[in-house]
Every structure is written in C-alpha cells, then in structure tokens.
Amino acid sequence: MNKILLSELNHMHRADFTTALGAIFEHSPWVAEQTAAARPFADVAALHAAMVAQIEAAGEAAQLKLIRAHPELGGKLAVAGALTAESTQEQAGAGLNQCSPQEFAELTDLNARYGEKFGFPFILAVRGHDRQSIIAEFRRRIGLTPAQEQQESLRQIYRIGLLRLQDLVQI
C-alpha cells in the first residue's frame, strides 16, 4: 500500500481527498467527503476524530447504513472473494480464510443468529484477534441488547477506520 503524506491530504482538492480516503469507512466515501472541510489536520488522530465526528453527527439512519455496509466475518462474500481489498486483507490477517469446517459452520451459524437478532452484520476490528478470539467475541456480543450492540459496532468501525488511516497516512 502506498502511503499518502498528511500534508498532501491537507492541500488536495476535495474530490481527490474523498478518493484518497473514501475506503477508510466501508463503502461510505461520504465520511471523507464531509470531513474535507475540516482540514488542515495536525496528525492522524485529528483526522480520525474529524471523520468520527461526521459519523456521529450523521444520525442513527446513516450510522445503521454504515454498519450494514460491512461484510459478515467469514461470510458468503469472503467465500465468494467479493470483499473489498481492505476487508480481505484484515480477515485473512486474522486467519478467517483458514477456518476448519467446524469453525466455518459455527461462524455461519453465529452470522445467521446475529443477523436475525440485530439486523446488521457482526463487526469486529480483527487486527490482533485470531479465529478463536473472534468466535468468543461473537458469542459474547450476541447476548447484548440491540442498543448496546449498535454502539459496540460503531466503536469497532471507528477502530477499523483508525487502523486503516494509520496504514495509509504518513506524517
């Protein structure tokens, strides 16, 4: 992945800024587009905080749409090879592309039960996790209330966004 200098991001045209950061939040380039007006940023943390502020200000409907833009972990899109490049790399890094038949069956069952309960996919910033810890977290969170889980999903999305920014942007 080619790094982008923060100083370049601070001076790009809005459309180029949106293109450069459009994949930070899954299928949601509107976050980058709306963040462009808050430039310049002193560091990656400030850029991330501005992007999160856009999501927080967007309201519940937009937040749910953002949550629903994410793929299932180890789900049908992963099997079909239809994930974004970022999601493919993140899920493979956690070993989800090497599930045993039993692990895959459990993930499939958890994805189905989770989706039925909450109406959106399970989201976890998988960096630092392995298959077993992902499954354990899945089991724990399926017991949360819908409101608790929506907030946890947003926290995970914010962490994913920060990790992607740290990978992409250089000071």
Side-chain angles (χ1 to χ4, degrees):
M1 176 183 300
N2 292 332
K3 293 253 185 186
I4 301 172
L5 290 171
L6 182 61
S7 60
E8 291 175 0
L9 285 168
N10 280 332
H11 295 95
M12 286 180 174
H13 290 281
R14 183 184 192 112
D16 295 333
F17 180 88
T18 301
T19 298
L21 299 181
I24 296 300
F25 293 99
E26 199 86 8
H27 300 292
S28 302
W30 63 268
V31 178
E33 182 180 25
Q34 293 179 9
T35 302
R39 291 179 289 173
F41 302 106
D43 53 31
V44 171
L47 171 57
H48 179 257
M51 295 181 95
V52 168
Q54 291 299 326
I55 296 168
E56 291 289 318
E60 186 173 0
Q63 292 168 359
L64 280 170
K65 188 174 179 183
L66 173 62
I67 291 170
R68 290 185 176 121
H70 285 74
E72 291 181 337
L73 285 178
K76 296 173 204 148
L77 292 177
V79 172
L83 298 176
T84 63
E86 291 82 7
S87 288
T88 298
Q89 182 178 14
E90 290 158 1
Q91 292 197 26
L96 288 174
N97 60 341
Q98 301 171 348
C99 285
S100 69
Q102 294 81 14
E103 290 168 331
F104 184 74
E106 183 165 11
L107 279 173
T108 300
D109 177 62
L110 286 166
N111 273 320
R113 291 190 300 141
Y114 184 95
E116 186 174 309
K117 179 174 181 178
F118 297 113
F120 49 81
F122 176 75
I123 299 168
L124 179 67
V126 296
R127 198 175 296 179
H129 283 273
D130 58 22
R131 292 187 307 272
Q132 292 74 33
S133 67
I134 290 169
I135 290 171
E137 186 66 5
F138 219 143
R139 289 179 190 141
R140 181 188 73 78
R141 286 176 44 195
I142 208 164
L144 296 179
T145 67
Q148 290 171 320
E149 185 53 23
Q150 186 174 331
Q151 286 306 305
E152 181 61 33
S153 294
L154 287 171
R155 279 192 290 276
Q156 295 298 318
I157 287 170
Y158 299 156
R159 176 160 168 70
I160 293 166
L162 178 60
L163 294 169
R164 289 179 179 177
L165 283 172
Q166 290 171 339
D167 289 345
L168 180 65
V169 179
Q170 182 176 350
I171 300 296

